[in-house]
Amino acid sequence: MKTRHILPALALAAGTLPVGAVDADPHTLPIDWRHVHEDSHPFGYALIDRLEYRGDEGPNHLLWDAQGWYGGDYNRLWLKTEGELPVSDSNGEIEVQALYGRVIAPYWDLQAGVRYDRAFGSGPDRDRAFGVLGVQGLAPYRFETDAALFVSQDGDLSLRAEIEYELLLTQRLILQPRVEINAAAQEVKAWGVGSGLNDLQLGLRLRYEIRREFAPYVGVEWVKKFGDTADFARADGRDSGNLALLAGLRMWF
C-alpha cells in the first residue's frame, strides 16, 4: 500500500485518529488526538510507484506501476494500473483494476473488484477480464504487502504477491528491495501463462527524495520465468530470464 506516507499525513491533515485509535482509552492518546471526528470527510491519494526506463537483454521498454484511492478511513475506491511499452516496437500490455477497499485491521485493507488486461502490437489485440479479491497493507517490520487472487472470465485462477521494504540510508536516500511472485492454477497458452509458479521478480532501487513527493531512482531487477511459462516465452523468441538496469521516477500526491 506504500503506507509510509499515507496514514501519518492524513491523520495530521484531517485532525482525525489513525484506524484503531477510536476504541483506545482517550487518556492514553496524544493531546492533539483526544477529539475524535467521525469518518465523514473523504480524502484522495495517488502514487506513481514506478515510472521507469529499463534496459535489459531484450527490447528496452518503459514500465509504469501506479495506484490511488478516494474515500474515508474505512471505505475507499481504489484504482490501480501497470503496464509495459517496448521502445523499439509497437507491442505492449496494460492492466487496470477498480476495487472497493474496506479497512479490516490497522493498516490493512480487504479489496474486491475487477481487473482488465489488454495486449496489443504486431499481432491481433487481446483482452481479458478478472474478478479480484486481495489484501493490501503494512506487515510487521514495515513490509509493504499487496496480494491478490484473480479469477478470469473463463474461470482461470491466478495469484500475485508483491512485497516492498524501505531502508532509510539517510533522510532522503532510500534503498527499496522489491519481490513479486506470480502463479496460476491453469495453463493459458494464449497469454503465455503456464500452470504453477509463473515468474519471480527481484528488484533493488535506490532513490533520492528531492521532495518527499518526488524522487528519481536507479536500480536493477532480475526476472526469471519457470515451467511452461518459460517454455512459452522461449517459443515466442523471448528470454526466460533477464537482468535489467533501470532509471525512473517515484511520485505521490
Side-chain angles (χ1 to χ4, degrees), residues 34-67:
R34 291 183 182 175
H35 301 287
V36 178
H37 295 264
E38 294 184 358
D39 177 29
S40 58
H41 186 75
F43 298 92
Y45 175 81
L47 168 68
I48 303 175
D49 191 37
R50 295 181 292 159
L51 178 60
E52 60 194 34
Y53 177 85
R54 302 162 64 95
D56 53 30
E57 299 172 2
N60 295 345
H61 57 276
L62 300 174
L63 179 145
W64 73 88
D65 180 2
Q67 62 180 274

mmCIF file of all heavy atoms in Angstrom, residues 34-67:
data_model
loop_
_atom_site.group_PDB
_atom_site.id
_atom_site.type_symbol
_atom_site.label_atom_id
_atom_site.label_comp_id
_atom_site.label_asym_id
_atom_site.label_seq_id
_atom_site.Cartn_x
_atom_site.Cartn_y
_atom_site.Cartn_z
ATOM 1 N N ARG A 34 -7.260 13.688 21.081
ATOM 2 C CA ARG A 34 -8.322 13.280 22.005
ATOM 3 C C ARG A 34 -9.713 13.667 21.534
ATOM 4 O O ARG A 34 -10.689 13.241 22.126
ATOM 5 C CB ARG A 34 -8.046 13.872 23.389
ATOM 6 C CG ARG A 34 -6.820 13.235 24.036
ATOM 7 C CD ARG A 34 -6.555 13.749 25.418
ATOM 8 N NE ARG A 34 -5.351 13.134 25.968
ATOM 9 C CZ ARG A 34 -4.802 13.458 27.137
ATOM 10 N NH1 ARG A 34 -5.363 14.400 27.880
ATOM 11 N NH2 ARG A 34 -3.708 12.859 27.551
ATOM 12 N N HIS A 35 -9.808 14.469 20.483
ATOM 13 C CA HIS A 35 -11.115 14.846 19.958
ATOM 14 C C HIS A 35 -11.375 14.004 18.725
ATOM 15 O O HIS A 35 -10.826 14.238 17.662
ATOM 16 C CB HIS A 35 -11.156 16.344 19.615
ATOM 17 C CG HIS A 35 -10.877 17.226 20.804
ATOM 18 N ND1 HIS A 35 -11.781 17.412 21.816
ATOM 19 C CD2 HIS A 35 -9.766 17.918 21.147
ATOM 20 C CE1 HIS A 35 -11.254 18.224 22.733
ATOM 21 N NE2 HIS A 35 -10.032 18.535 22.348
ATOM 22 N N VAL A 36 -12.215 13.002 18.884
ATOM 23 C CA VAL A 36 -12.482 12.054 17.807
ATOM 24 C C VAL A 36 -13.480 12.652 16.821
ATOM 25 O O VAL A 36 -14.496 13.205 17.213
ATOM 26 C CB VAL A 36 -13.029 10.730 18.380
ATOM 27 C CG1 VAL A 36 -13.341 9.763 17.258
ATOM 28 C CG2 VAL A 36 -12.029 10.134 19.356
ATOM 29 N N HIS A 37 -13.171 12.540 15.530
ATOM 30 C CA HIS A 37 -14.072 13.010 14.485
ATOM 31 C C HIS A 37 -14.653 11.812 13.753
ATOM 32 O O HIS A 37 -13.998 10.786 13.610
ATOM 33 C CB HIS A 37 -13.325 13.906 13.481
ATOM 34 C CG HIS A 37 -12.823 15.175 14.096
ATOM 35 N ND1 HIS A 37 -13.505 16.362 14.023
ATOM 36 C CD2 HIS A 37 -11.693 15.430 14.818
ATOM 37 C CE1 HIS A 37 -12.823 17.309 14.652
ATOM 38 N NE2 HIS A 37 -11.724 16.759 15.134
ATOM 39 N N GLU A 38 -15.872 11.958 13.265
ATOM 40 C CA GLU A 38 -16.484 10.881 12.506
ATOM 41 C C GLU A 38 -15.811 10.759 11.141
ATOM 42 O O GLU A 38 -15.255 11.716 10.609
ATOM 43 C CB GLU A 38 -17.985 11.162 12.318
ATOM 44 C CG GLU A 38 -18.772 11.127 13.630
ATOM 45 C CD GLU A 38 -20.239 11.320 13.392
ATOM 46 O OE1 GLU A 38 -20.625 11.510 12.222
ATOM 47 O OE2 GLU A 38 -21.014 11.284 14.368
ATOM 48 N N ASP A 39 -15.906 9.571 10.573
ATOM 49 C CA ASP A 39 -15.329 9.287 9.262
ATOM 50 C C ASP A 39 -16.298 9.761 8.187
ATOM 51 O O ASP A 39 -16.965 8.967 7.536
ATOM 52 C CB ASP A 39 -15.057 7.790 9.133
ATOM 53 C CG ASP A 39 -14.514 7.433 7.757
ATOM 54 O OD1 ASP A 39 -13.862 8.301 7.153
ATOM 55 O OD2 ASP A 39 -14.752 6.299 7.312
ATOM 56 N N SER A 40 -16.405 11.081 8.015
ATOM 57 C CA SER A 40 -17.371 11.620 7.074
ATOM 58 C C SER A 40 -16.724 12.481 6.000
ATOM 59 O O SER A 40 -17.398 12.923 5.080
ATOM 60 C CB SER A 40 -18.423 12.460 7.822
ATOM 61 O OG SER A 40 -17.789 13.512 8.537
ATOM 62 N N HIS A 41 -15.419 12.733 6.108
ATOM 63 C CA HIS A 41 -14.753 13.597 5.141
ATOM 64 C C HIS A 41 -13.858 12.757 4.240
ATOM 65 O O HIS A 41 -12.950 12.085 4.716
ATOM 66 C CB HIS A 41 -13.912 14.656 5.861
ATOM 67 C CG HIS A 41 -13.321 15.670 4.926
ATOM 68 N ND1 HIS A 41 -14.079 16.657 4.354
ATOM 69 C CD2 HIS A 41 -12.062 15.809 4.445
ATOM 70 C CE1 HIS A 41 -13.303 17.397 3.569
ATOM 71 N NE2 HIS A 41 -12.079 16.902 3.606
ATOM 72 N N PRO A 42 -14.108 12.751 2.922
ATOM 73 C CA PRO A 42 -13.296 11.920 2.024
ATOM 74 C C PRO A 42 -11.940 12.565 1.724
ATOM 75 O O PRO A 42 -11.792 13.796 1.733
ATOM 76 C CB PRO A 42 -14.157 11.839 0.760
ATOM 77 C CG PRO A 42 -14.954 13.106 0.774
ATOM 78 C CD PRO A 42 -15.215 13.419 2.216
ATOM 79 N N PHE A 43 -10.984 11.713 1.445
ATOM 80 C CA PHE A 43 -9.645 12.138 1.055
ATOM 81 C C PHE A 43 -9.245 11.385 -0.198
ATOM 82 O O PHE A 43 -9.848 10.374 -0.557
ATOM 83 C CB PHE A 43 -8.631 11.852 2.167
ATOM 84 C CG PHE A 43 -8.898 12.573 3.446
ATOM 85 C CD1 PHE A 43 -9.657 11.977 4.446
ATOM 86 C CD2 PHE A 43 -8.403 13.846 3.662
ATOM 87 C CE1 PHE A 43 -9.909 12.627 5.635
ATOM 88 C CE2 PHE A 43 -8.652 14.507 4.846
ATOM 89 C CZ PHE A 43 -9.403 13.906 5.845
ATOM 90 N N GLY A 44 -8.206 11.858 -0.838
ATOM 91 C CA GLY A 44 -7.677 11.178 -2.006
ATOM 92 C C GLY A 44 -6.163 11.073 -1.930
ATOM 93 O O GLY A 44 -5.500 11.881 -1.276
ATOM 94 N N TYR A 45 -5.625 10.049 -2.600
ATOM 95 C CA TYR A 45 -4.188 9.824 -2.611
ATOM 96 C C TYR A 45 -3.824 9.120 -3.904
ATOM 97 O O TYR A 45 -4.542 8.224 -4.357
ATOM 98 C CB TYR A 45 -3.786 8.955 -1.417
ATOM 99 C CG TYR A 45 -2.326 8.541 -1.386
ATOM 100 C CD1 TYR A 45 -1.342 9.402 -0.907
ATOM 101 C CD2 TYR A 45 -1.934 7.288 -1.829
ATOM 102 C CE1 TYR A 45 -0.013 9.030 -0.871
ATOM 103 C CE2 TYR A 45 -0.601 6.894 -1.793
ATOM 104 C CZ TYR A 45 0.359 7.772 -1.312
ATOM 105 O OH TYR A 45 1.678 7.387 -1.286
ATOM 106 N N ALA A 46 -2.732 9.555 -4.532
ATOM 107 C CA ALA A 46 -2.270 8.925 -5.767
ATOM 108 C C ALA A 46 -0.768 8.705 -5.680
ATOM 109 O O ALA A 46 -0.028 9.592 -5.227
ATOM 110 C CB ALA A 46 -2.602 9.789 -6.973
ATOM 111 N N LEU A 47 -0.317 7.543 -6.106
ATOM 112 C CA LEU A 47 1.091 7.185 -6.061
ATOM 113 C C LEU A 47 1.520 6.566 -7.389
ATOM 114 O O LEU A 47 0.899 5.614 -7.861
ATOM 115 C CB LEU A 47 1.351 6.171 -4.942
ATOM 116 C CG LEU A 47 2.727 5.493 -4.946
ATOM 117 C CD1 LEU A 47 3.828 6.502 -4.612
ATOM 118 C CD2 LEU A 47 2.753 4.320 -3.977
ATOM 119 N N ILE A 48 2.540 7.142 -8.009
ATOM 120 C CA ILE A 48 3.228 6.505 -9.127
ATOM 121 C C ILE A 48 4.460 5.863 -8.521
ATOM 122 O O ILE A 48 5.483 6.515 -8.300
ATOM 123 C CB ILE A 48 3.592 7.516 -10.223
ATOM 124 C CG1 ILE A 48 2.335 8.247 -10.710
ATOM 125 C CG2 ILE A 48 4.287 6.811 -11.388
ATOM 126 C CD1 ILE A 48 2.623 9.357 -11.702
ATOM 127 N N ASP A 49 4.356 4.585 -8.208
ATOM 128 C CA ASP A 49 5.428 3.901 -7.503
ATOM 129 C C ASP A 49 6.617 3.628 -8.410
ATOM 130 O O ASP A 49 7.779 3.712 -7.990
ATOM 131 C CB ASP A 49 4.903 2.591 -6.921
ATOM 132 C CG ASP A 49 5.887 1.960 -5.956
ATOM 133 O OD1 ASP A 49 6.552 2.703 -5.211
ATOM 134 O OD2 ASP A 49 5.999 0.716 -5.934
ATOM 135 N N ARG A 50 6.333 3.280 -9.670
ATOM 136 C CA ARG A 50 7.397 3.024 -10.639
ATOM 137 C C ARG A 50 7.024 3.651 -11.982
ATOM 138 O O ARG A 50 5.980 3.336 -12.549
ATOM 139 C CB ARG A 50 7.619 1.518 -10.822
ATOM 140 C CG ARG A 50 8.136 0.800 -9.602
ATOM 141 C CD ARG A 50 8.359 -0.678 -9.885
ATOM 142 N NE ARG A 50 7.108 -1.385 -10.112
ATOM 143 C CZ ARG A 50 6.999 -2.541 -10.759
ATOM 144 N NH1 ARG A 50 8.079 -3.102 -11.296
ATOM 145 N NH2 ARG A 50 5.828 -3.133 -10.892
ATOM 146 N N LEU A 51 7.856 4.525 -12.467
ATOM 147 C CA LEU A 51 7.760 5.068 -13.819
ATOM 148 C C LEU A 51 9.190 5.047 -14.337
ATOM 149 O O LEU A 51 9.985 5.929 -14.028
ATOM 150 C CB LEU A 51 7.185 6.486 -13.803
ATOM 151 C CG LEU A 51 7.074 7.173 -15.166
ATOM 152 C CD1 LEU A 51 6.173 6.382 -16.112
ATOM 153 C CD2 LEU A 51 6.593 8.603 -15.011
ATOM 154 N N GLU A 52 9.525 4.018 -15.125
ATOM 155 C CA GLU A 52 10.941 3.763 -15.361
ATOM 156 C C GLU A 52 11.233 3.299 -16.782
ATOM 157 O O GLU A 52 10.396 2.701 -17.461
ATOM 158 C CB GLU A 52 11.469 2.724 -14.365
ATOM 159 C CG GLU A 52 10.784 1.386 -14.422
ATOM 160 C CD GLU A 52 11.093 0.503 -13.216
ATOM 161 O OE1 GLU A 52 11.269 1.030 -12.095
ATOM 162 O OE2 GLU A 52 11.148 -0.725 -13.395
ATOM 163 N N TYR A 53 12.463 3.577 -17.177
ATOM 164 C CA TYR A 53 13.033 3.082 -18.424
ATOM 165 C C TYR A 53 13.960 1.935 -18.080
ATOM 166 O O TYR A 53 14.827 2.057 -17.214
ATOM 167 C CB TYR A 53 13.809 4.200 -19.131
ATOM 168 C CG TYR A 53 14.500 3.742 -20.404
ATOM 169 C CD1 TYR A 53 13.810 3.716 -21.607
ATOM 170 C CD2 TYR A 53 15.834 3.355 -20.386
ATOM 171 C CE1 TYR A 53 14.429 3.299 -22.778
ATOM 172 C CE2 TYR A 53 16.464 2.936 -21.546
ATOM 173 C CZ TYR A 53 15.761 2.916 -22.738
ATOM 174 O OH TYR A 53 16.386 2.501 -23.885
ATOM 175 N N ARG A 54 13.779 0.805 -18.778
ATOM 176 C CA ARG A 54 14.515 -0.407 -18.448
ATOM 177 C C ARG A 54 15.324 -0.869 -19.652
ATOM 178 O O ARG A 54 14.793 -1.012 -20.753
ATOM 179 C CB ARG A 54 13.550 -1.519 -18.020
ATOM 180 C CG ARG A 54 12.680 -1.149 -16.837
ATOM 181 C CD ARG A 54 11.481 -2.065 -16.734
ATOM 182 N NE ARG A 54 11.846 -3.442 -16.476
ATOM 183 C CZ ARG A 54 11.884 -3.991 -15.259
ATOM 184 N NH1 ARG A 54 11.577 -3.257 -14.200
ATOM 185 N NH2 ARG A 54 12.213 -5.250 -15.104
ATOM 186 N N GLY A 55 16.604 -1.116 -19.417
ATOM 187 C CA GLY A 55 17.459 -1.681 -20.435
ATOM 188 C C GLY A 55 17.846 -3.091 -20.033
ATOM 189 O O GLY A 55 18.504 -3.292 -19.008
ATOM 190 N N ASP A 56 17.405 -4.091 -20.793
ATOM 191 C CA ASP A 56 17.713 -5.478 -20.454
ATOM 192 C C ASP A 56 18.166 -6.226 -21.695
ATOM 193 O O ASP A 56 18.472 -5.623 -22.728
ATOM 194 C CB ASP A 56 16.525 -6.172 -19.783
ATOM 195 C CG ASP A 56 15.249 -6.058 -20.606
ATOM 196 O OD1 ASP A 56 15.352 -5.990 -21.853
ATOM 197 O OD2 ASP A 56 14.158 -6.059 -20.026
ATOM 198 N N GLU A 57 18.186 -7.553 -21.622
ATOM 199 C CA GLU A 57 18.692 -8.359 -22.722
ATOM 200 C C GLU A 57 17.733 -8.381 -23.908
ATOM 201 O O GLU A 57 18.132 -8.704 -25.026
ATOM 202 C CB GLU A 57 18.974 -9.776 -22.223
ATOM 203 C CG GLU A 57 20.028 -9.817 -21.127
ATOM 204 C CD GLU A 57 20.158 -11.202 -20.513
ATOM 205 O OE1 GLU A 57 19.445 -12.119 -20.973
ATOM 206 O OE2 GLU A 57 20.953 -11.358 -19.579
ATOM 207 N N GLY A 58 16.471 -8.093 -23.682
ATOM 208 C CA GLY A 58 15.502 -7.990 -24.763
ATOM 209 C C GLY A 58 15.334 -6.531 -25.164
ATOM 210 O O GLY A 58 16.202 -5.695 -24.912
ATOM 211 N N PRO A 59 14.190 -6.204 -25.819
ATOM 212 C CA PRO A 59 13.948 -4.805 -26.185
ATOM 213 C C PRO A 59 13.834 -3.921 -24.944
ATOM 214 O O PRO A 59 13.202 -4.299 -23.951
ATOM 215 C CB PRO A 59 12.611 -4.870 -26.940
ATOM 216 C CG PRO A 59 12.451 -6.298 -27.347
ATOM 217 C CD PRO A 59 13.129 -7.100 -26.280
ATOM 218 N N ASN A 60 14.473 -2.759 -24.983
ATOM 219 C CA ASN A 60 14.301 -1.800 -23.894
ATOM 220 C C ASN A 60 12.845 -1.337 -23.870
ATOM 221 O O ASN A 60 12.185 -1.244 -24.912
ATOM 222 C CB ASN A 60 15.223 -0.601 -24.090
ATOM 223 C CG ASN A 60 16.695 -0.993 -24.010
ATOM 224 O OD1 ASN A 60 17.026 -2.081 -23.548
ATOM 225 N ND2 ASN A 60 17.563 -0.119 -24.480
ATOM 226 N N HIS A 61 12.341 -1.018 -22.690
ATOM 227 C CA HIS A 61 10.942 -0.645 -22.611
ATOM 228 C C HIS A 61 10.677 0.299 -21.445
ATOM 229 O O HIS A 61 11.502 0.474 -20.548
ATOM 230 C CB HIS A 61 10.048 -1.889 -22.502
ATOM 231 C CG HIS A 61 10.370 -2.782 -21.347
ATOM 232 N ND1 HIS A 61 11.352 -3.737 -21.404
ATOM 233 C CD2 HIS A 61 9.845 -2.865 -20.105
ATOM 234 C CE1 HIS A 61 11.421 -4.383 -20.246
ATOM 235 N NE2 HIS A 61 10.518 -3.866 -19.448
ATOM 236 N N LEU A 62 9.523 0.918 -21.508
ATOM 237 C CA LEU A 62 9.017 1.780 -20.448
ATOM 238 C C LEU A 62 8.026 0.991 -19.612
ATOM 239 O O LEU A 62 7.215 0.232 -20.147
ATOM 240 C CB LEU A 62 8.337 3.019 -21.035
ATOM 241 C CG LEU A 62 9.206 3.923 -21.908
ATOM 242 C CD1 LEU A 62 8.349 5.021 -22.541
ATOM 243 C CD2 LEU A 62 10.331 4.553 -21.093
ATOM 244 N N LEU A 63 8.071 1.192 -18.314
ATOM 245 C CA LEU A 63 7.170 0.486 -17.388
ATOM 246 C C LEU A 63 6.567 1.479 -16.417
ATOM 247 O O LEU A 63 7.240 2.417 -15.984
ATOM 248 C CB LEU A 63 7.948 -0.594 -16.635
ATOM 249 C CG LEU A 63 7.178 -1.428 -15.591
ATOM 250 C CD1 LEU A 63 7.699 -2.862 -15.566
ATOM 251 C CD2 LEU A 63 7.307 -0.818 -14.178
ATOM 252 N N TRP A 64 5.295 1.266 -16.097
ATOM 253 C CA TRP A 64 4.671 2.071 -15.051
ATOM 254 C C TRP A 64 3.893 1.176 -14.099
ATOM 255 O O TRP A 64 3.432 0.101 -14.449
ATOM 256 C CB TRP A 64 3.760 3.141 -15.653
ATOM 257 C CG TRP A 64 2.475 2.616 -16.221
ATOM 258 C CD1 TRP A 64 1.280 2.417 -15.582
ATOM 259 C CD2 TRP A 64 2.261 2.197 -17.579
ATOM 260 N NE1 TRP A 64 0.344 1.911 -16.430
ATOM 261 C CE2 TRP A 64 0.905 1.768 -17.653
ATOM 262 C CE3 TRP A 64 3.067 2.154 -18.712
ATOM 263 C CZ2 TRP A 64 0.364 1.303 -18.840
ATOM 264 C CZ3 TRP A 64 2.520 1.677 -19.898
ATOM 265 C CH2 TRP A 64 1.186 1.257 -19.954
ATOM 266 N N ASP A 65 3.760 1.661 -12.860
ATOM 267 C CA ASP A 65 3.005 0.962 -11.811
ATOM 268 C C ASP A 65 2.459 2.053 -10.895
ATOM 269 O O ASP A 65 3.225 2.703 -10.170
ATOM 270 C CB ASP A 65 3.917 0.007 -11.052
ATOM 271 C CG ASP A 65 3.195 -0.753 -9.943
ATOM 272 O OD1 ASP A 65 1.971 -0.564 -9.785
ATOM 273 O OD2 ASP A 65 3.852 -1.529 -9.229
ATOM 274 N N ALA A 66 1.157 2.289 -10.947
ATOM 275 C CA ALA A 66 0.556 3.399 -10.208
ATOM 276 C C ALA A 66 -0.739 2.947 -9.553
ATOM 277 O O ALA A 66 -1.389 1.998 -9.995
ATOM 278 C CB ALA A 66 0.282 4.583 -11.134
ATOM 279 N N GLN A 67 -1.107 3.646 -8.486
ATOM 280 C CA GLN A 67 -2.369 3.372 -7.812
ATOM 281 C C GLN A 67 -2.825 4.600 -7.048
ATOM 282 O O GLN A 67 -2.047 5.516 -6.773
ATOM 283 C CB GLN A 67 -2.227 2.188 -6.868
ATOM 284 C CG GLN A 67 -1.222 2.391 -5.738
ATOM 285 C CD GLN A 67 -1.149 1.170 -4.840
ATOM 286 O OE1 GLN A 67 -1.932 1.041 -3.901
ATOM 287 N NE2 GLN A 67 -0.204 0.279 -5.123
#
